[in-house]
Structures are given as C-alpha cells and as structure tokens.
Amino acid sequence: MSLYTAIATSAGRNTRAVTSDGKLDVKLSLQKEFGGDGDGTNPEQLFAAGYAACFASSLQYVAGRRKVDVNGMTVTAEVDLRAKDTGFALSAVLRVKLPGHLSTEAKQELADAAHQVCPYSNATRGNIPLELVIE
C-alpha cells in the first residue's frame, strides 16, 4: 500500500522539471563540465538534495524512537556522476554532523540505523557505492 506518490515530468537536461501539483518547477540545464551553460539545476543536484533531506528525516525518526536529541544535526549528500562502460553511474557520500553531546559510537549507531530506514538508502543499496561519513 502506497503512503504517498510523487509525480514529476521532464523532457531532459535542458528543459524543466515540474511536479504534478506545481510545487516544484525548476529549470534544468546541462552542467558546464559537460559543455552546458549550467544556468539551471541538474538531476544529480536534485538527487543530492532529496537524499540529504530524506536521510536527515530518517535520522530524526530513529533518534526520536530512541529518545535521543539530535537537534542541530545536518546531512550533506555529495553525488558523483561517473562514466562506466555501458554509460553512466552514480556514487554518493553522506556527511552526517550530529550534536557534540553524543559519543562517536552513538553517532555511528544512529547513522547506521537511519541508513536502514531511509527510502533513498533502501532504493540505492547495492546499486551505487555509498560512503557514510560521521563528522
């Protein structure tokens, strides 16, 4: 049973991406690194933003269930577009900053638990290389 369905439409990297409810309408453009003008966002940036937000929400969920205060935490996602023999592939690094009152072990446990809960992590696990870094 679906809890929510997001719908977005685009015709490529040099167009727009628009959600069915109109709440997201972004100009897309090919990155300068690939000869584009870079004036808009790109799918890799959108993926990074979505993964960072989703993983942060998953951290909050896990911490809330454990009654651990993670106020002030942040997640930064770095998404790399890489060439491979059959086309292109992604890899990612998630940089997790958690409050200083938590031990290194507690931070790692929370991040590992969030990685099991996060829909983006579940969708990409085994499909793209991922590095989880506690900062």
Side-chain angles (χ1 to χ4, degrees):
M1 178 175 105
S2 174
L3 298 175
Y4 173 76
T5 300
I7 301 169
T9 303
S10 178
R13 286 187 182 260
N14 286 312
T15 62
R16 302 191 77 69
V18 182
T19 56
S20 59
D21 62 5
K23 292 182 180 178
L24 178 73
D25 183 346
V26 295
K27 177 184 177 185
L28 300 174
S29 66
L30 187 63
Q31 296 94 314
K32 288 183 179 181
E33 293 84 351
F34 299 116
D37 63 18
D39 285 343
T41 192
N42 60 67
E44 293 73 33
Q45 289 172 322
L46 294 171
F47 185 82
Y51 204 164
C54 190
F55 198 88
S57 293
S58 296
L59 268 171
Q60 291 168 333
Y61 172 80
V62 168
R65 292 184 59 101
R66 296 178 181 195
K67 302 198 182 329
V68 174
D69 179 15
V70 293
N71 201 18
M73 67 86 187
T74 61
V75 176
T76 301
E78 300 171 6
V79 174
D80 288 326
L81 179 61
R82 300 174 177 270
K84 65 181 225 174
D85 292 342
T86 58
F88 301 94
L90 299 176
S91 65
V93 176
L94 294 178
R95 298 190 181 280
V96 179
K97 289 185 182 178
L98 288 158
H101 69 277
L102 297 172
S103 70
T104 301
E105 181 180 280
K107 290 176 183 182
Q108 188 67 56
E109 286 177 8
L110 284 172
D112 289 343
H115 186 50
Q116 296 305 310
V117 171
C118 177
Y120 274 64
S121 291
N122 289 330
T124 60
R125 187 173 292 108
N127 295 315
I128 69 169
L130 173 74
E131 183 181 358
L132 187 56
V133 177
I134 309 302
E135 296 188 332

